[in-house]
Amino acid sequence: MTILGLMFLLKKFNQPYLIAYIIAGVLLGPYALRLFDEPEEIEVIGEIGILLLMFFIGMEINIPNKKSLIIKPVLAQSIKIILSFLFAYFLGEILGLDFKSVLLIAILFMFNSTAVVVEFMRRHGTLHTAFGIIILNILLLQDLLLAPVLTVLKFWNGEKFSILNFVLPLIICIAIFLIFRKIRNLRKIRFSSTFLENDHDLQVFSGLFICLGFGLVAETVGLSAALGSFIAGVLVGKMRAFHWFEHSLLPFKVFFISLFFVSIGLRLDINYLLSNYKLIVIGSLVVLLSNSIMSSIFFRILNFKWENSFYGGALLSQTGEFGILALSIAYKTGMVGFNLYKAGLGITCLSLLLSTIWISCVTSLRHRKGIHDYNKAEEI
């Protein structure tokens, strides 16, 4: 009822439903109405939504043949990593932070929210454009970086360093690249499954098994579960026999994605936000502006127009769900204290909420400029 009421309200203002999910989490969480006391319980269920989202993207996306669609994301993410470390270093010098805190801040700037970015690109119709594919590939590269980043964070906790944690994901990634290269020119993979065509129960559970199974395997070998589900979607999308997956699993994706963003709202400590509102608000604005500027710069370096660069910068303005995971591990390993953990969590969650508004504003300006340019061309 809470989500539905907020959705009707936001629909009147033409705002994305992601905002409704996060606000619902805040209202129903342990710091407001206290209907839910353990955000982690909802988060675990909500993560299924991320896997289903990546699975659907994999089914819809075409494997790029052009090298520019692969090379540019690598260059873009490399530039972003360098800029993230430089910005974190200067921020650490201003605030007098130690090296571990600076490293954590850099990690937070490295990752974006796949769910937020993809949902907006799908809404704006840019997911299947060349620019959209580059942004999607950047997000997939961030998924690949998750394994070494988490290894470094755990290493600080005194866990034994293992080179296998770096080598195994690299080997798996090379194997995936070779498989994609092999099947990218295939229109369809033949596979007979007539016994599934009219059995909706089997369709639902076999679809969930493939999606979640690939995610589990990927996480076991050190990659992110979201990347595993994406790979499953790419393979299944090439099989004509499984064309019914999207129809059967779409309601599950919508429901579980909403729970994921509800879990983000549940984490927002209202009392802490109110008592430290200046720090949280300023920190969130710094994250949005710095991420937007950094992302716009590296898109412009890659010879994209300023219009597309600002749009891409807005899409990659927030810190994502991996940032929350990195914060939790850093706090548990003793890298950061409780106050920095709470502040980082508040800034991360608020940046996700504000980024949806920021993206909508930039898109509105972009759309108006497009109409203005069209009218001007008509006059000429």
Side-chain angles (χ1 to χ4, degrees):
M1 289 173 62
T2 304
I3 292 175
L4 189 61
L6 289 168
M7 288 175 72
F8 277 121
L9 180 63
L10 290 173
K11 188 174 179 65
K12 290 184 177 181
F13 296 99
N14 197 29
Q15 293 298 311
Y17 294 142
L18 301 182
I19 300 176
Y21 304 150
I22 297 176
I23 294 176
V26 174
L27 295 176
L28 301 175
Y31 309 106
L33 298 178
R34 299 182 179 179
L35 186 63
F36 297 101
D37 294 326
E38 298 293 337
E40 293 79 10
E41 295 177 356
I42 304 297
E43 181 188 12
V44 172
I45 302 173
E47 285 176 355
I48 297 175
I50 301 297
L51 302 187
L52 287 169
L53 174 66
M54 296 302 293
F55 181 72
F56 275 70
I57 295 169
M59 287 184 65
E60 296 174 4
I61 208 72
N62 291 320
I63 303 171
N65 287 320
K66 295 182 179 179
K67 291 184 179 179
S68 61
L69 297 179
I70 300 173
I71 295 173
K72 284 186 177 180
V74 174
L75 293 174
Q77 187 60 29
S78 300
I79 295 170
K80 183 172 185 180
I81 291 173
I82 295 171
L83 293 176
S84 297
F85 274 99
L86 288 174
F87 184 80
Y89 172 76
F90 286 117
L91 198 62
E93 287 293 319
I94 295 171
L95 300 177
L97 301 175
D98 59 8
F99 174 73
K100 292 181 180 179
S101 299
V102 170
L103 177 62
L104 181 61
I105 292 173
I107 289 172
L108 293 179
F109 279 110
M110 282 167 50
F111 294 106
N112 298 106
S113 175
T114 302
V116 170
V117 176
V118 169
E119 282 296 318
F120 270 103
M121 287 199 297
R122 188 192 301 276
R123 181 188 175 112
H124 301 154
T126 57
L127 182 61
H128 298 287
T129 63
F131 187 66
I133 292 173
I134 288 174
I135 293 178
L136 178 61
N137 288 338
I138 290 173
L139 296 171
L140 293 175
L141 281 173
Q142 292 178 5
D143 289 344
L144 292 175
L145 288 172
L146 181 64
V149 166
L150 294 183
T151 302
V152 170
L153 291 177
K154 291 176 181 178
F155 175 68
W156 247 291
N157 191 32
E159 292 187 17
K160 187 177 179 180
F161 181 80
S162 175
I163 193 67
L164 186 65
N165 292 333
F166 283 95
V167 175
L168 184 59
L170 182 61
I171 295 173
I172 298 296
C173 290
I174 294 173
I176 293 168
F177 173 77
L178 294 175
I179 292 172
F180 282 1
R181 187 177 180 181
K182 182 73 175 178
I183 69 172
R184 69 182 178 184
N185 294 322
L186 294 178
R187 300 189 66 181
K188 289 293 178 183
I189 298 175
R190 295 182 179 180
F191 181 77
S192 178
S193 64
T194 54
F195 70 101
L196 287 173
E197 288 182 359
N198 298 316
D199 195 325
H200 296 297
D201 290 26
L202 274 177
Q203 288 177 7
V204 169
F205 284 99
S206 59
L208 289 174
F209 175 77
I210 293 173
C211 171
L212 303 181
F214 269 72
L216 178 62
V217 171
E219 191 166 312
T220 302
V221 300
L223 300 173
S224 73
L227 182 63
S229 295
F230 174 79
I231 295 166
V234 172
L235 295 175
V236 167
K238 289 287 186 178
M239 299 179 184
R240 189 183 298 276
F242 295 131
H243 66 277
W244 39 262
F245 263 20
E246 184 172 1
H247 176 73
S248 299
L249 299 183
L250 182 59
F252 292 91
K253 188 204 78 167
V254 173
F255 178 72
F256 285 114
I257 277 287
S258 69
L259 287 184
F260 172 78
F261 286 101
V262 167
S263 71
I264 292 174
L266 291 174
R267 288 177 176 271
L268 282 172
D269 188 337
I270 302 300
N271 296 327
Y272 184 86
L273 291 179
L274 292 177
S275 58
N276 299 274
Y277 70 94
K278 290 183 179 179
L279 173 64
I280 302 300
V281 172
I282 292 174
S284 300
L285 292 176
V286 168
V287 167
L288 287 175
L289 292 176
S290 57
N291 255 340
S292 295
I293 293 171
M294 285 192 296
S295 301
S296 300
I297 288 173
F298 68 66
F299 280 127
R300 184 57 184 164
I301 291 174
L302 296 176
N303 292 324
F304 286 104
K305 295 180 179 179
W306 276 116
E307 179 185 350
N308 288 333
S309 297
F310 283 130
Y311 173 64
L315 287 174
L316 301 179
S317 61
Q318 74 295 114
T319 54
E321 48 273 9
F322 290 151
I324 297 175
L325 178 60
L327 272 171
S328 300
I329 293 176
Y331 175 64
K332 291 176 183 177
T333 57
M335 278 185 66
V336 295
F338 181 74
N339 288 333
L340 186 56
Y341 167 69
K342 274 287 186 180
L345 198 60
I347 290 171
T348 301
C349 294
L350 194 60
S351 73
L352 277 169
L353 178 59
L354 295 178
S355 69
T356 58
I357 302 172
W358 174 234
I359 295 169
S360 298
C361 292
V362 172
T363 305
S364 178
L365 292 173
R366 184 169 177 255
H367 179 66
R368 289 179 182 177
K369 185 179 183 301
I371 293 176
H372 175 74
D373 291 344
Y374 175 78
N375 292 335
K376 188 175 180 180
E378 285 291 314
E379 291 174 3
I380 294 173

